Amino acid sequence: MSTRPPRRNCDECGNRYRPRSWESRFCGNCRLEALAQQTLSDSILEDARDPIEAHIEKENRRYSEKDLKDSVKVAASRHIRNQIIEQALLNHTAPKYNPPPGLYVDPDHLKVVHLSDWHIGQKTTAEATGGIFHHDHVVATAQVERLMDIERAILRDDKRAVRRTLIVVNGDMVDGDDMRNSQHTEIEYLVMEQTLKCYDLVVRFIDHEVEITTEDVVVSLTGGNHDRSSRKPGNAGLSELGYTDTYLYLLGGMLERTYQNEKRVKIINNTSFFAKLNFSGHKIVHAHGSDIKWGGGYNGIPWNAIGVAADKYNNMLGGDMELLLLAHGHMPSMIPGSNSNIWINTNGSLPGTSEYVQSNYKVVRRPVQWILMLNEHGLVNAHPAYLDVGQIVRPQENNVWDNA
């Protein structure tokens, strides 16, 4: 007996056909026609999708592959760059002790060098100042060299070697590049290059101090308002996002890596707006001073505000402070505090002046940094190091008038 289903009519065309299975409802011709229609419909839909969805899908795959390749390239490049920087920083070797001849070692002879307001990157043309002064990186480099010469001259005159040296790096070591709109035309380099050039000069200076100091050199750094990474100031006039969001903190980090294997150099990269140091028993505080309102007062120095600040620092730290070092105002001074045991030192700057200072105050200031000498009794001498290197035209000695 046959198990095949009997002949039946097609549900589509009505013709009689012998189905291959009991579930079949359509004849062979109708099934072929339905398959052709489905294939044509799929082709039409695929053609309609290609210009949009298929192209987007294809491009996404291509960009994903490209992004992956680029990410690998960037990561490899960054790794190589970091290796180069790391090697450059770690391969530095500080010089050995090499002071001027004829010095005797005094175990109580200490030195503090107050560095601030170098404003590396600032460029002031003679044309913009009426021919009275100019400033650029060449001038700044010559000034640092002159500062080192002055130090050696002080040692020769004093005939005593320095046992320990404290270098206070007190902010505004770079000029920045976006403090205000007018600054865009008053800089020689962008701020990252300023930081690198400042690093070179500071390393040169630290190495010099190692040469003329018998024991060790301590470097303490705090940021200034020009070191911040954004226009908007934060607490103490420093960076909006925090005290470490400054190019000076970056400089300190580079110095830490440079001297990490040098036993005679200690880098203190402060994370606050001020530093408090016990330097061989002497209590020293330094801060940039952008939290103090400058201007007014005799010769542009806010004497009362500075004195009040010294008293407040002293009270905050328990009453043992001996020396307060402030910068920011570009006005050098050495004054006693209301407490007879406190001395206050305000620093000058390498540019001495700028277009801003000249236009607002109608003065041309001399560039000054300070060299302070201490012994077991405290401060014994303060040397203002004048760093004129021919960048200022003195009206008393030269004709600054233009013929009309």
Side-chain angles (χ1 to χ4, degrees), residues 15-35:
N15 295 331
R16 300 279 296 177
Y17 76 102
R18 183 176 291 277
R20 293 185 178 182
S21 67
W22 291 91
E23 292 80 12
S24 175
R25 298 171 53 199
F26 302 101
C27 65
N29 290 335
C30 289
R31 285 200 306 272
L32 291 173
E33 185 177 350
L35 180 62

Side-chain angles (χ1 to χ4, degrees), residues 59-353:
E59 288 299 300
N60 283 339
R61 286 198 303 270
R62 186 170 71 85
Y63 278 113
S64 296
E65 293 171 359
K66 182 178 183 299
D67 288 344
L68 179 61
K69 291 178 182 178
D70 288 346
S71 297
V72 172
K73 287 181 181 178
V74 169
S77 174
R78 184 180 293 121
H79 178 69
I80 294 172
R81 182 193 62 197
N82 290 344
Q83 281 187 323
I84 294 172
I85 294 174
E86 196 76 11
Q87 287 299 317
L89 295 177
L90 296 180
N91 286 342
H92 180 79
T93 302
K96 296 182 179 180
Y97 180 55
N98 183 30
L103 303 183
Y104 73 91
V105 177
D106 183 346
D108 295 318
H109 199 43
L110 309 172
K111 179 177 65 179
V112 177
V113 185
H114 190 183
L115 307 180
S116 73
D117 300 282
W118 282 15
H119 290 276
I120 298 301
Q122 179 182 313
K123 183 177 182 179
T124 305
T125 64
E127 291 78 11
T129 65
I132 297 177
F133 71 95
H134 70 278
H135 186 84
D136 54 23
H137 189 66
V138 173
V139 171
T141 302
Q143 289 175 316
V144 174
E145 293 292 333
R146 178 167 175 79
L147 178 59
M148 293 186 289
D149 291 341
I150 291 174
E151 278 198 288
R152 286 185 172 269
I154 292 172
L155 291 179
R156 285 194 297 268
D157 292 343
D158 201 31
K159 294 184 172 55
R160 286 187 298 172
V162 172
R163 182 172 68 87
R164 301 189 70 205
T165 294
L166 169 63
I167 303 174
V168 170
V169 182
N170 219 6
D172 280 7
M173 297 297 282
V174 298
D175 198 51
D177 55 16
D178 196 30
M179 295 284 291
R180 58 187 183 278
N181 290 336
S182 62
Q183 189 184 36
H184 298 167
T185 60
E186 297 171 3
I187 58 171
E188 197 170 4
Y189 313 103
L190 294 178
V191 68
M192 293 306 293
E193 192 171 357
Q194 294 174 18
T195 305
L196 292 173
K197 290 184 178 297
C198 183
Y199 165 82
D200 291 337
L201 289 177
V202 172
V203 167
R204 171 79 179 93
F205 189 83
I206 293 173
D207 285 352
H208 172 262
E209 296 304 312
V210 173
E211 283 186 338
I212 61 175
T213 302
T214 60
E215 287 190 11
D216 65 320
V217 175
V218 179
V219 184
S220 179
L221 302 98
T222 52
N225 57 304
H226 276 260
D227 301 311
R228 67 183 184 232
S229 60
S230 61
R231 279 192 181 189
K232 190 175 179 180
N235 293 332
L238 304 184
S239 198
E240 180 181 6
L241 298 181
Y243 300 133
T244 61
D245 189 28
T246 65
Y247 294 105
L248 195 81
Y249 187 78
L250 173 63
L251 173 66
M254 294 166 67
L255 294 175
E256 285 177 324
R257 288 159 177 76
T258 300
Y259 291 101
Q260 67 179 14
N261 297 322
E262 178 55 58
K263 296 180 180 179
R264 296 183 58 210
V265 178
K266 179 180 181 180
I267 307 295
I268 304 174
N269 199 14
N270 293 285
T271 58
S272 180
F273 69 95
F274 74 103
K276 52 189 190 308
L277 308 171
N278 187 336
F279 181 58
S280 290
H282 301 284
K283 306 296 179 61
I284 299 173
V285 173
H286 70 87
H288 182 64
S290 50
D291 53 331
I292 298 173
K293 186 176 180 180
W294 290 76
Y298 176 73
N299 206 25
I301 301 178
W303 304 105
N304 183 66
I306 290 174
V308 170
D311 290 337
K312 289 185 175 182
Y313 273 115
N314 190 42
N315 293 334
M316 181 173 65
L317 298 172
D320 295 328
M321 185 176 72
E322 297 178 35
L323 184 61
L324 173 63
L325 306 178
L326 297 173
H328 185 65
H330 298 200
M331 293 298 297
S333 69
M334 195 77 207
I335 59 175
S338 59
N339 184 324
S340 59
N341 295 325
I342 298 176
W343 281 98
I344 307 167
N345 174 245
T346 65
N347 208 12
S349 64
L350 284 197
T353 190

